[in-house]
Amino acid sequence: MDNLQHIDELLRKASQAPANALVNDADWVVVERRLKQRKNRIYAVWFFLALISVGSLGLYFGSLPQTNSKIPLTSEAEINLNKGEKSIQNLHKSVVSQTDIKEKKYRIAKVSNSGKEKITAHTDTIVFGTANHLVSDKDDIL
Amino acid sequence: MISEEELIQRCKNNDQSAQKMLFEKYANRMMAVCMRYCKNREDAKDLLHDGFYKVFVNIKKFKGDSAIATWMTRVFINLALNSQRIGRNKYDHYEFDPAMEKESVVAVSEEIDTIAPEVVLAALQQLPDKYKIVLNMYAVERMSHKEIAKKLGITEGSSKSRLSRGRVMLNTLLKHN
């Protein structure tokens, strides 16, 4: 079969002839379209990855407990602010409690006679809006 | 005029105009490769599209060790072999007559210069794939039997016998044409 080696040469020569007439612009359009489709697929994948990442982060932070009120106060200013808030709350509570018709007040008062501090109590009718009460002679010494 | 290195670099950066220029420059040559590995023009066109798509997607892997045309040819051949391996290309049923084989031992070497390339390629396309591929790889791509055997997953002996039989069949076809 060695005498058929000229077939190789024949093939080599034939393969050097480019297929000029067979390629046209439509072939490039097909390749270009496929490249664009690939690019779009890549963009879509990145978009969904970003979406999933953002969604996951949102869910994570959303699931964290709200610990702002439990954080210990550190600075003096914050402590004072907190005290101020509490006193306002207390004042509000006292105003509300003083709307009762009758209530008994206990307070520490200095009794002028003995010069000692004693707990006094008095019964008084509270009129809405009057928050201040002075120790009067009516106070009962406990 | 843009140099080939610059053209390749621009293709690596996904420059569409450079991709088109590379396609226009090598499409005819690659179509000839496709025609040698495919049964008909439609299959060859499909291979051309797939091949260029793969070239542009993988061009970043081209290191410049060889000419771009050589690298592209390898890409096209590998693609053709893969598509045949997964059975996309249909094998034709060319029946080889043993009587013709005997007759064809008388070579056509005297007429070698007179045969038109189109006739040779048309005859090549009529060969069964297993002969055509080995003939192409050995004669045109100048691959050794060892390389062919490795690429096709066959033994070197099979490669040699397919080459020999392919030559006889092509010779016979040319003689009868």
Side-chain angles (χ1 to χ4, degrees):
Chain A
M1 297 293 168
D2 285 342
N3 58 346
L4 287 179
Q5 281 184 358
H6 66 276
I7 290 289
D8 296 0
E9 188 57 35
L10 197 63
L11 262 179
R12 245 171 253 141
K13 280 189 178 175
S15 68
Q16 282 168 5
N20 287 335
L22 298 176
V23 184
N24 51 41
D25 287 345
D27 295 313
W28 167 246
V29 172
V30 173
V31 177
E32 189 184 28
R33 194 177 60 228
R34 290 184 61 181
L35 288 169
K36 275 183 185 167
Q37 283 171 349
R38 179 177 178 268
K39 200 185 274 183
N40 290 341
R41 273 200 306 273
I42 291 170
Y43 285 151
V45 167
W46 278 113
F47 173 76
F48 281 111
L49 278 176
L51 203 65
I52 289 166
S53 304
V54 170
S56 304
L57 281 173
L59 279 175
Y60 172 73
F61 286 115
S63 67
L64 285 179
Q66 299 293 328
T67 54
N68 288 352
S69 59
K70 292 178 182 174
I71 297 171
L73 298 174
T74 50
S75 68
E76 198 178 339
E78 283 174 329
I79 291 167
N80 290 338
L81 186 65
N82 193 39
K83 275 181 182 171
E85 279 177 2
K86 279 181 180 173
S87 65
I88 288 168
Q89 282 171 1
N90 289 340
L91 180 64
H92 178 69
K93 277 179 189 171
S94 72
V95 167
V96 169
S97 66
Q98 284 166 10
T99 58
D100 296 340
I101 296 169
K102 276 192 173 182
E103 73 174 9
K104 193 164 263 185
K105 294 280 182 183
Y106 298 94
R107 64 185 67 182
I108 298 168
K110 188 178 275 185
V111 179
S112 58
N113 294 343
S114 61
K116 291 179 182 175
E117 285 184 350
K118 291 195 176 180
I119 298 171
T120 61
H122 77 272
T123 307
D124 197 3
T125 302
I126 306 298
V127 181
F128 181 77
T130 57
N132 298 323
H133 300 279
L134 296 172
V135 177
S136 66
D137 294 338
K138 291 177 182 175
D139 290 347
D140 304 324
I141 296 171
L142 297 177
Chain B
M1 186 69 184
I2 186 169
S3 71
E4 191 154 282
E5 287 77 23
E6 194 185 340
L7 188 64
I8 292 164
Q9 194 52 48
R10 282 173 59 186
C11 285
K12 285 181 180 180
N13 295 332
N14 289 323
D15 183 332
Q16 208 172 333
S17 62
Q19 287 174 337
K20 190 177 182 186
M21 284 165 78
L22 194 75
F23 177 87
E24 284 169 350
K25 193 172 181 183
Y26 291 106
N28 291 330
R29 208 191 293 190
M30 291 306 126
M31 187 64 186
V33 175
C34 298
M35 288 295 284
R36 280 192 279 115
Y37 282 88
C38 293
K39 290 255 159 293
N40 51 49
R41 192 173 157 172
E42 285 71 37
D43 284 352
K45 284 242 173 186
D46 284 347
L47 181 59
L48 183 81
H49 302 153
D50 291 351
F52 267 104
Y53 173 75
K54 199 166 183 185
V55 162
F56 291 131
V57 168
N58 292 296
I59 200 162
K60 282 179 184 167
K61 292 178 187 167
F62 175 66
K63 304 287 179 202
D65 302 332
S66 60
I68 184 77
T70 310
W71 180 77
M72 284 170 71
T73 306
R74 292 274 163 166
V75 171
F76 276 81
I77 292 172
N78 286 338
L79 202 57
L81 295 180
N82 281 340
S83 69
Q84 278 158 5
R85 205 169 290 143
I86 61 173
R88 229 174 69 180
N89 282 13
K90 294 169 194 151
Y91 284 88
D92 60 359
H93 299 286
Y94 175 80
E95 294 295 333
F96 192 73
D97 183 2
M100 281 168 65
E101 185 176 357
K102 222 172 227 180
E103 190 189 335
S104 70
V105 173
V106 182
V108 286
S109 55
E110 304 85 43
E111 304 156 20
I112 194 165
D113 291 330
T114 60
I115 302 172
E118 307 86 63
V119 176
V120 177
L121 291 174
L124 183 72
Q125 284 185 344
Q126 292 181 48
L127 294 185
D129 281 349
K130 60 179 181 179
Y131 303 121
K132 182 173 70 182
I133 289 167
V134 173
L135 201 53
N136 260 320
M137 292 169 99
Y138 186 87
V140 184
E141 320 300 344
R142 293 174 186 268
M143 293 166 85
S144 67
H145 283 296
K146 196 176 177 181
E147 285 175 294
I148 295 169
K150 195 178 170 188
K151 269 221 180 291
L152 299 181
I154 57 174
T155 63
E156 284 186 50
S158 295
S159 173
K160 283 175 188 170
S161 84
R162 285 184 191 186
L163 174 70
S164 178
R165 195 162 170 86
R167 280 171 178 162
V168 171
M169 290 168 86
L170 189 62
N171 189 58
T172 308
L173 283 169
L174 289 173
K175 206 174 174 188
H176 281 82
N177 284 340

